[in-house]
Structures are given as structure tokens and as C-alpha cells.
Amino acid sequence: GAGGNEGRIDLSNWVEPANRLATLLFLMGRFGESKKWCERILSVKPWHIGALSGIVMVCMKMGDKEGVLKYSLMGLPNLSLQMRNARSTWVQENVQFAQTNLLRLEELNRKAYGEPDDCSVNYAENDSSNESPSADIAQIEDETDEDNSAWQ
């Protein structure tokens, strides 16, 4: 890639476009590149079904039997009685991974932008007018009933 920086791309917000790129690369026969993109996606979202199925197909095309087995086992276990516990464990592990990622991203957001605004302010207390919100709603409804209203 350009400058060798693609390994450092944070895909947290770009998983779907990256998966489309991996699919396109697969369709073009560029299996090695497709596999690298699938691996990047799975490093961010190990439960991503598209990347999991894609990397299994890439490994099949590349004759990588170990890769096929490895990535096939990473997928969501089936609903059979024998796999019920494995499925529950898979879900719990991936929910934990997602929660950890969310906390990490929230901390990065705080570092970049500071603490969020206090959204618990009751704006009605700060309103100096004596009109109730229902009066405002009635006025809006009256305005939209006019024949020349843009809402019609």
C-alpha cells in the first residue's frame, strides 16, 4: 500500500467500507490483499459475519486449509442442542469485546473533545415566557393548517 501505513488504519468507524473493499479484492482475484483486509476487520469486530465468511472463502481459494478451519471456528456456532453452550459463550465473549471497545472509543472521544455537555438541563425552567408547551404545539398546528403551508 501507499507508504505502508494501511496496517495502522483504525477501522472502528469504517468496517463496512473495508468489508466491501475486501469483497471487491476477492472478486478481482487479489486474495492476499482481501485476506489482509478481512483480518483487519476481524481485529476490530471479530463477530463480523461478512468478514468471517469472506476470509473463509479467501482461504479456500488460496488452499489454506488451516485458515479455513481457524476462521470457520470463529463464526457463530449453530443452534443445535450440542452447540447451545458454545453459542452462548461466543455471544458473551463478543459482547464483552464490543463493550471494551466502546469504553476505549468513549475515552478517546473524551480526550479529543472533552467532557460531553450536560444534557439534563430542564429548558422549561429557563424559559421566561408564561406559555405552556401545549400552547406552542397548538400554534404550530394552526400554522400548518393554512392552505399555503409548505407542509401540505
Side-chain angles (χ1 to χ4, degrees):
N5 290 332
E6 64 270 7
R8 292 182 237 156
I9 296 172
D10 181 4
L11 291 180
S12 300
N13 295 317
W14 302 99
V15 171
E16 295 310 317
N19 191 57
R20 288 189 182 124
L21 176 59
T23 301
L24 179 62
L25 291 167
F26 175 83
L27 294 172
M28 294 171 66
R30 294 164 62 179
F31 304 126
E33 291 172 90
S34 178
K35 184 177 180 182
K36 286 180 185 178
W37 278 103
C38 288
E39 289 170 339
R40 290 180 186 123
I41 294 163
L42 294 171
S43 73
V44 177
K45 291 190 175 181
W47 59 87
H48 195 282
I49 302 301
L52 282 169
S53 63
I55 201 164
V56 169
M57 290 190 299
V58 166
C59 289
M60 288 173 65
K61 287 284 191 179
M62 295 174 73
D64 178 5
K65 293 177 184 176
E66 292 88 19
V68 170
L69 180 61
K70 172 187 172 183
Y71 293 111
S72 293
L73 293 174
M74 285 177 62
L76 179 63
N78 65 44
L79 287 170
S80 69
L81 290 175
Q82 299 89 342
M83 297 301 290
R84 188 156 295 158
N85 286 338
R87 187 177 180 93
S88 177
T89 300
W90 185 94
V91 169
Q92 290 170 0
E93 287 173 355
N94 282 289
V95 166
Q96 180 61 42
F97 183 88
Q99 288 172 334
T100 301
N101 238 3
L102 178 61
L103 292 173
R104 180 184 63 83
L105 292 171
E106 285 175 341
E107 182 59 28
L108 287 173
N109 194 42
R110 262 193 290 286
K111 285 180 181 176
Y113 302 107
E115 291 298 320
D117 295 337
D118 182 10
C119 297
S120 62
V121 176
N122 185 347
Y123 293 102
E125 291 175 0
N126 299 331
D127 188 3
S128 60
S129 72
N130 293 330
E131 292 185 26
S132 69
S134 59
D136 292 338
I137 293 170
Q139 180 182 354
I140 292 169
E141 289 173 348
D142 288 344
E143 291 172 4
T144 58
D145 285 340
E146 295 175 12
D147 288 337
N148 60 356
S149 170
W151 293 101
Q152 294 185 5

